[in-house]
Amino acid sequence: MKALLLLALTVAVSAGPSASRFDGVKVFRLKPDNEYHVNEIKNLADKIKLNFWTPEGADLVTSHLNVDIQVNDEDVLLVKDLLQRSGMEYEVLIEDLQKAIERQFDNKHRSTVGYSYEKYNSWEKIAEWAESMATENPTLVTKTQIGQTFEGRPMVLLKLGKNTGFAKPAIFMDCGIHAREWISPAFCQWFVKEAVTSYGSDPEMTSLLNNMDVLVLPVFNIDGYVYTWTRDRMWRKTRSKNSGTTCVGTDPNRNFNAGWCTVGASKQPCSETYCGSRVESEIEVKAVADFIRKNRSIIKAYLTIHSYSQLLLFPYSYTTDLAAHHSELLDIARTASNALYSLYGTRYTSGPGAVTIYPAAGGSDDWAYDLGIKYSFTFELRDEGRFGFLLPESQIKPTCEETMLAVKYIATYVQEHNY
């Protein structure tokens, strides 16, 4: 029975007439420690197709920064030979990507009946869940549509907060801006569940929802997320069409007006970090940006949830200049990371994006900060590469539990430091 269930789940994420399989595909972790190694990686990327997991492209590779790359079966021997000849240290994180995809569904209590927060849910289920949360909790949850995706799906937003009859200060939180980062939407669902179920019993959450609203976008890049369930589990970008090429999609987190396409982004439509034809070219990005601009007077914090690497970042990523509120943001990030660590001992690194990992322009947190939303943070959830984007379902609960502590700390801080 268990084998049949696993088979059904595997089919669910590889459905469709041209679904991608990843048999024999490996994920390598390269450890360049000099410029020669950096150039070898960049040259390799020019020769064969590599899917960069972290950093997100060959142009972002630097010495002393781990590089996780997905290598097709037919290129494995070539890559190993190059690495051995270069003297670069490396390890294989994932021996067979297809098996790793299938193993992520390891929740022994997975059920096809009802809704579970400890498994990965398809967009269709998430959309039904969002509707039911609003229907079943009318005094705390309001569902609105802020736009639609390129393929015409409604962009659903849930407003969490006690209805007071007047506008309250708010926190905006989005998940799933990159399609393959499944733990991200899982956290947004978890947060909504915790808010609804703990209101009235948890003083911290009760105070938050009485005095503020939390605006939750459960899945930002819906079309891409659907595509990861039906065609290509490792898809990252949106699904918009690009003029003059068959390459599809734009990186939505390179499409905001924050140093747009100046660094850490590509002008090539086939790139995973393609910045788009113009600022807010993506209908999803424009919908979010328009909503935040419209509600700028009440939005006091912006949180965007990603994976992986266990980081808590804040502006800036498009420049190495420090943000005006750097010291305060660093203190918040470090204290929030300590709160997260207190539960399971998961260590996070905190700091501004450009100097903590690498420069990248067009990000949503930088854009929100420049708009005047002082408390803007990016979470990169578990893990540090052992599973990467394929975090098993058995880790959803601990990941969400520990992340709740950090998010609640930030939310409480914002509530106490209104501006």
Side-chain angles (χ1 to χ4, degrees), residues 47-89:
K47 292 178 183 176
I48 63 174
K49 179 175 175 55
L50 296 176
N51 186 332
F52 281 81
W53 283 25
T54 184
E56 294 150 343
D59 57 318
L60 298 173
V61 174
T62 61
S63 59
H64 308 292
L65 177 71
N66 287 342
V67 179
D68 296 352
I69 55 172
Q70 176 183 317
V71 180
N72 290 333
D73 182 34
E74 62 269 21
D75 296 320
V76 167
L77 291 179
L78 171 67
V79 170
K80 284 185 174 180
D81 180 63
L82 179 144
L83 293 172
Q84 288 166 359
R85 284 190 291 106
S86 71
M88 192 186 320
E89 186 181 351

Side-chain angles (χ1 to χ4, degrees), residues 146 256 280 283-296 299 367 371:
I146 66 169
F256 284 85
E280 297 177 18
I283 190 172
E284 299 90 349
V285 171
K286 181 154 181 29
V288 170
D290 282 346
F291 178 86
I292 293 176
R293 279 190 288 257
K294 180 181 177 181
N295 295 279
R296 166 63 194 91
I299 296 176
W367 172 82
L371 191 67

Side-chain angles (χ1 to χ4, degrees), residues 183-203:
I183 187 61
S184 170
F187 175 73
C188 265
Q189 294 161 64
W190 188 279
F191 181 88
V192 173
K193 180 260 295 183
E194 285 294 302
V196 169
T197 57
S198 67
Y199 178 81
S201 59
D202 175 3

Side-chain angles (χ1 to χ4, degrees), residues 175-412:
C175 292
I177 197 168
H178 290 136
R180 62 192 178 187
E181 298 169 9
W182 282 12
I183 187 61
S184 170
F187 175 73
C188 265
Q189 294 161 64
W190 188 279
F191 181 88
V192 173
K193 180 260 295 183
E194 285 294 302
V196 169
T197 57
S198 67
Y199 178 81
S201 59
D202 175 3
E204 199 173 11
M205 185 64 75
T206 303
S207 176
L208 173 63
L209 298 185
N210 280 343
N211 296 288
M212 299 189 75
D213 291 327
V214 183
L215 310 170
V216 180
L217 189 66
V219 184
F220 187 123
N221 179 11
I222 301 169
D223 294 346
Y225 186 70
V226 170
Y227 198 75
T228 63
W229 278 80
T230 58
R231 296 295 182 89
D232 182 349
R233 174 62 184 86
M234 305 316 303
W235 187 259
R236 167 185 167 86
K237 300 188 290 182
T238 61
R239 292 296 302 163
S240 60
K241 294 180 180 178
N242 295 309
S243 177
T245 178
T246 58
C247 292
V248 172
T250 288
D251 182 343
N253 207 39
R254 298 293 192 278
N255 196 230
F256 284 85
N257 190 15
W260 179 73
C261 222
T262 54
V263 64
S266 173
K267 295 182 179 179
Q268 303 301 318
C270 297
S271 169
E272 294 285 2
T273 58
Y274 177 49
C275 60
S277 59
R278 63 186 183 280
V279 166
E280 297 177 18
S281 62
E282 301 312 282
I283 190 172
E284 299 90 349
V285 171
K286 181 154 181 29
V288 170
D290 282 346
F291 178 86
I292 293 176
R293 279 190 288 257
K294 180 181 177 181
N295 295 279
R296 166 63 194 91
S297 62
I298 64 168
I299 296 176
K300 305 302 179 182
Y302 173 79
L303 307 179
T304 182
I305 312 300
H306 294 246
S307 75
Y308 61 95
S309 287
Q310 295 173 198
L311 303 168
L312 183 46
L313 306 174
F314 52 86
Y316 284 110
S317 289
Y318 71 82
T319 175
T320 55
D321 293 345
L322 298 182
H325 307 95
H326 172 81
S327 295
E328 183 181 11
L329 296 175
L330 181 60
D331 286 345
I332 295 169
R334 284 176 171 170
T335 307
S337 297
N338 288 338
L340 186 153
Y341 172 81
S342 69
L343 190 60
Y344 295 112
T346 305
R347 295 188 181 277
Y348 269 53
T349 300
S350 303
V355 298
T356 304
I357 44 173
Y358 44 75
S364 61
D365 58 346
D366 283 358
W367 172 82
Y369 182 80
D370 282 346
L371 191 67
I373 301 174
K374 179 166 68 167
Y375 303 117
S376 295
F377 295 94
T378 293
F379 281 80
E380 294 281 357
L381 304 184
R382 290 190 191 186
D383 59 1
E384 293 183 298
R386 170 65 184 85
F387 298 104
F389 302 118
L390 305 176
L391 196 70
E393 287 182 325
S394 57
Q395 291 199 36
I396 293 177
K397 184 174 184 287
T399 300
C400 291
E401 287 176 334
E402 67 191 10
T403 307
M404 279 296 300
L405 298 180
V407 170
K408 286 171 71 175
Y409 171 77
I410 294 173
T412 300

Side-chain angles (χ1 to χ4, degrees), residues 47-173:
K47 292 178 183 176
I48 63 174
K49 179 175 175 55
L50 296 176
N51 186 332
F52 281 81
W53 283 25
T54 184
E56 294 150 343
D59 57 318
L60 298 173
V61 174
T62 61
S63 59
H64 308 292
L65 177 71
N66 287 342
V67 179
D68 296 352
I69 55 172
Q70 176 183 317
V71 180
N72 290 333
D73 182 34
E74 62 269 21
D75 296 320
V76 167
L77 291 179
L78 171 67
V79 170
K80 284 185 174 180
D81 180 63
L82 179 144
L83 293 172
Q84 288 166 359
R85 284 190 291 106
S86 71
M88 192 186 320
E89 186 181 351
Y90 74 93
E91 61 180 310
V92 178
L93 296 176
I94 297 177
E95 287 284 353
D96 189 301
L97 187 57
Q98 184 62 36
K99 291 179 180 177
I101 290 172
E102 294 164 8
R103 283 196 298 264
Q104 70 184 324
F105 298 107
D106 68 343
N107 186 343
K108 295 174 182 174
H109 303 292
R110 167 177 275 276
S111 170
T112 56
V113 179
Y115 201 81
S116 174
Y117 294 92
E118 296 183 40
K119 68 177 184 180
Y120 295 118
N121 292 299
S122 67
W123 167 246
E124 290 74 19
K125 282 195 171 184
I126 295 172
E128 292 174 1
W129 162 84
E131 182 69 39
S132 67
M133 292 302 287
T135 301
E136 295 168 10
N137 304 278
T139 62
L140 280 180
V141 183
T142 304
K143 181 175 80 73
T144 58
Q145 181 178 333
I146 66 169
Q148 66 176 23
T149 68
F150 178 80
E151 294 179 347
R153 296 180 175 91
M155 295 181 68
V156 174
L157 181 134
L158 296 177
K159 183 177 78 170
L160 312 179
K162 188 69 175 176
N163 189 355
T164 59
F166 56 86
K168 295 186 293 181
I171 297 169
F172 188 97
M173 178 167 64

Side-chain angles (χ1 to χ4, degrees), residues 9-31:
L9 293 167
T10 302
V11 170
V13 293
S14 59
S18 57
S20 299
R21 286 188 61 87
F22 299 91
D23 300 285
V25 174
K26 298 185 187 302
V27 177
F28 286 75
R29 169 161 288 176
L30 316 183
K31 302 177 181 181

